Amino acid sequence: MLNSFFLSVLTFIPLLLQFLPAVRAANASEWRSRSIYQIIVDRYALPDGADPTACNTADQTWCGGTWNTISANLDYIQNAGFTAIWISPVSQNYQGERTPYGDPYHGYWIADASQLNEKFGTSDDLKALSDEIHSRGMYLMVDVVVNDVMALSTTPDYSTYLFKEEYIRLMLYRQSQYHPYCAIDWGNTTSEQTCWLGDSKVPLPDVKTEDPTVVSTYNKWIQQLVQEYDIDGLRIDGQHVDIEFWPGFCASAGVFCIGEVDDADASQAAPYQGKNSLDSILHYPMYNALTSAFTIPGPQNMSAVTDMINQSKALFSDPTVLGNFLENQDSMYNAMVFNFMSDGIPIVYYGQEQGFHGGSDPYNREPLWTSNYTKSTAYEMVTTLNQFRNFLVNTSDWATQQMEVLASTNGAIAINKANVLTVVTNVGSPPQNVSIPVYTKFDAAAILTEVLSCTQYSVGSEGAINVDYSKGGHPAIFVQQTALNGSGLCGNPGRAPPPQVGASTSGALPAANAGVARAMGMAAVTILLSGVLAFGF
């Protein structure tokens, strides 16, 4: 009798599990410790035997990257110290004649969100990629598009899309799950959320995300997608969808949601983070401040960064999980160091670590394999930044501590975050006969190590450090010498966060750190928005 009871219970358990809420795979606090490498699937890696010279970015067509080719080339990302990967959308895209803007190789021209994009592989391929990422202790973020679909006219046939116009026979009218066509009146929130993106050549019909059927369909779809492919986080277009849509969508997903809200005004962007919207957003207000501060030639307005730090603390519910990025491939050393060492989650767009020039669409989607995955100076710097940041988040509460500004001038800013001092500058080159005094919280005569060059400094009276730019405007990260024990940096032995795949562990100084020391220790750095870095000795 007892055995029969237990058998009945065991039989019933699977049925119960179907009705339990989704387990949250990774929340905001877990993503806070991560650094993200962003990939356009078609442009990351080629299958064996493919012609590496055949991809012309200007052609705006597929070049051959797939989920399988990412799986086979993850060492490059892991060896740079990244702990998460963000891939372009996995949903089915437009299938048809070539458009005036080429083919949907990028993955953002959605047709049926509930179906996979066969150009990039099968369901098993995507599962294998997810498994391989997780086997390395990394997280998987997937880009999703719910705001719109893609068409070639403003009166498309919706029969091939996930959402279709329905003819209500008894009422004798058509019920559409799309907003009627209208051009966006930028600056008008209602228009931005209900009118169509794109243009007259390739319009993007706007999905009616306030419609109950749309809401329930999307919520069911995203829950299934996350569970089937073991996804840890979602990147979504935030501002073109009514904000009330997001809490239910993200709750159904059960994972971290970061949205794109392309607004330089922090007061306009901040409402998209919080319990009534999204877990986080890409920090466009800070991106614009960094561009204003570090672009050469440009306004070099360093006070914009100081102001944005203060605004972020005041307006955002949690600045420590905002997404820090340099759009496209703007490989700016000082700004890059700021993004890794300030509040937030650092995000590197593929190619930035190779100094790709980027530019406007389609030239911001270059094939990565033309770099031969070289361990360039920029790659080595990113590796050192990741190694140091991973060490901090794994051994302290550094990630949860909010930064504070210790000093700011027209040419530099010094921030402190949990006793890690970072100084970044827009001085550039040629070298300038200036120095910036920074009064720190360190005791006089304390020995500090500058992490990028492995140079030691002695703290002066009142905790002062003089940062000298007579040899060029390089960034600097200072920490007490003893705090590097176990980091694997600057000759310190011990537990380095995860060792590079296939890399040698011999030698006192890791290769990436040594390379950065060579490049930064005596170099004058010119920082250009194009992503080109020039060094003068």
Side-chain angles (χ1 to χ4, degrees):
M1 189 73 167
L2 193 58
N3 288 338
S4 176
F5 170 76
F6 281 121
L7 285 173
S8 299
V9 170
L10 290 172
T11 303
F12 194 56
I13 285 175
L15 298 175
L16 286 174
L17 291 175
Q18 294 180 34
F19 299 98
L20 291 177
V23 176
R24 193 173 184 85
N27 58 29
S29 63
E30 292 164 318
W31 273 93
R32 183 187 289 113
S33 65
R34 301 278 159 165
S35 62
I36 303 171
Y37 188 78
Q38 181 188 354
I39 293 173
I40 299 295
V41 172
D42 184 67
R43 300 300 166 88
Y44 176 67
L46 285 174
D48 291 342
D51 181 359
T53 67
C55 181
N56 182 354
T57 305
D59 288 345
Q60 297 177 287
T61 192
W62 292 281
C63 287
T66 66
W67 298 320
N68 280 340
T69 62
I70 296 174
S71 296
N73 293 277
L74 285 173
D75 287 359
Y76 173 81
I77 301 171
Q78 187 179 24
N79 287 348
F82 290 100
T83 52
I85 297 172
W86 158 9
I87 64 172
S88 49
V90 301
S91 294
Q92 181 191 82
N93 270 223
Y94 161 77
Q95 298 174 328
E97 62 186 271
R98 182 177 168 85
T99 80
Y101 301 129
D103 297 308
Y105 64 91
H106 42 70
Y108 289 94
W109 287 348
I110 303 301
D112 187 339
S114 67
Q115 303 299 312
L116 290 182
N117 191 334
E118 294 179 355
K119 281 286 186 180
F120 302 140
T122 66
S123 175
D124 286 343
D125 295 337
L126 184 55
K127 289 176 182 176
L129 172 60
S130 178
D131 288 345
E132 182 61 28
I133 289 170
H134 290 122
S135 74
R136 296 165 179 256
M138 304 168 78
Y139 281 176
L140 171 63
M141 176 178 285
V142 171
D143 214 321
V144 297
V145 179
V146 300
N147 175 62
D148 52 46
V149 293
M150 178 272 188
L152 290 177
S153 78
T154 57
T155 57
D157 173 10
Y158 290 114
S159 63
T160 60
Y161 296 97
L162 174 60
F163 299 109
K164 304 167 176 61
E165 282 193 322
E166 297 178 355
Y167 184 70
I168 312 300
R169 294 182 180 276
L170 294 179
M171 304 298 292
L172 300 179
Y173 76 98
R174 288 189 179 278
Q175 175 176 287
S176 180
Q177 293 170 330
Y178 299 87
H179 293 119
Y181 172 76
C182 54
I184 293 178
D185 176 17
W186 295 103
N188 181 317
T189 300
T190 300
S191 176
E192 290 175 358
Q193 293 180 351
T194 60
C195 291
W196 293 20
L197 292 167
D199 59 19
S200 59
K201 296 178 181 177
V202 180
L204 305 178
D206 196 82
V207 178
K208 194 180 288 184
T209 51
E210 70 274 21
D211 181 274
T213 300
V214 171
V215 170
S216 62
T217 301
Y218 265 149
N219 289 354
K220 183 180 296 183
W221 162 68
I222 198 61
Q223 183 181 56
Q224 292 172 344
L225 183 76
V226 166
Q227 291 180 346
E228 184 169 1
Y229 299 103
D230 198 9
I231 296 166
D232 304 292
L234 302 174
R235 177 271 178 197
I236 47 190
D237 282 322
Q239 72 190 103
H240 297 294
V241 175
D242 54 299
I243 203 166
E244 293 81 8
F245 172 84
W246 295 122
F249 182 83
C250 292
S252 297
V255 295
F256 177 69
C257 288
I258 185 169
E260 179 170 327
V261 180
D262 186 0
D263 200 314
D265 186 340
S267 67
Q268 297 296 313
Y272 285 88
Q273 185 194 36
K275 64 180 181 180
N276 294 321
S277 48
L278 298 164
D279 295 313
S280 174
I281 63 170
L282 298 175
H283 203 342
Y284 270 93
M286 184 60 79
Y287 162 73
N288 282 276
L290 292 173
T291 301
S292 178
F294 291 103
T295 304
I296 299 176
Q300 295 185 275
N301 180 16
M302 191 65 76
S303 65
V305 177
T306 305
D307 291 344
M308 189 51 61
I309 290 172
N310 293 330
Q311 287 187 49
S312 297
K313 288 182 178 182
L315 296 172
F316 287 100
S317 60
D318 187 353
T320 68
V321 295
L322 297 175
N324 297 337
F325 70 100
L326 300 175
E327 194 172 42
N328 302 329
Q329 296 83 20
D330 302 336
S331 185
M332 302 181 290
Y333 274 20
N334 278 272
M336 184 189 296
V337 169
F338 180 89
N339 277 351
F340 271 85
M341 301 314 301
S342 62
D343 294 345
I345 303 168
I347 301 169
V348 172
Y349 184 65
Y350 83 101
Q352 182 179 325
E353 77 288 356
Q354 294 293 345
F356 278 15
H357 292 265
S360 58
D361 184 16
Y363 300 102
N364 57 350
R365 292 165 177 161
E366 302 166 79
L368 184 61
W369 50 85
T370 60
S371 71
N372 293 317
Y373 307 96
T374 304
K375 291 189 176 180
S376 62
T377 300
Y379 180 93
E380 290 182 339
M381 168 170 265
V382 168
T383 303
T384 297
L385 290 170
N386 266 323
Q387 185 171 353
F388 183 51
R389 188 179 185 276
N390 290 341
F391 172 70
L392 292 173
V393 300
N394 289 326
T395 59
S396 71
D397 63 352
W398 178 87
T400 61
Q401 298 296 310
Q402 290 196 13
M403 62 182 164
E404 57 179 320
V405 177
L406 296 185
S408 180
T409 70
N410 292 334
I413 183 172
I415 60 171
N416 182 75
K417 185 175 170 71
N419 287 326
V420 177
L421 171 65
T422 302
V423 183
V424 291
T425 177
N426 57 19
V427 166
S429 66
Q432 298 185 25
N433 188 26
V434 296
S435 62
I436 297 172
V438 179
Y439 293 93
T440 73
K441 296 183 177 181
F442 299 116
D443 295 332
I447 302 300
L448 305 182
T449 297
E450 198 288 294
V451 175
L452 299 177
S453 65
C454 295
T455 305
Q456 290 190 347
Y457 288 72
S458 179
V459 178
S461 61
E462 299 182 45
I465 298 176
N466 254 3
V467 181
D468 181 10
Y469 293 124
S470 63
K471 295 178 180 176
H474 53 81
I477 304 169
F478 299 96
V479 67
Q480 284 190 289
Q481 182 180 8
T482 55
L484 284 176
N485 290 340
S487 69
L489 290 163
C490 296
N492 285 273
R495 53 178 299 250
Q500 295 191 354
V501 177
S504 172
T505 57
S506 63
L509 184 65
N513 199 223
V516 172
R518 288 194 298 272
M520 303 304 295
M522 296 296 291
V525 183
T526 297
I527 307 162
L528 305 178
L529 248 176
S530 68
V532 181
L533 296 146
F535 296 89
F537 290 87

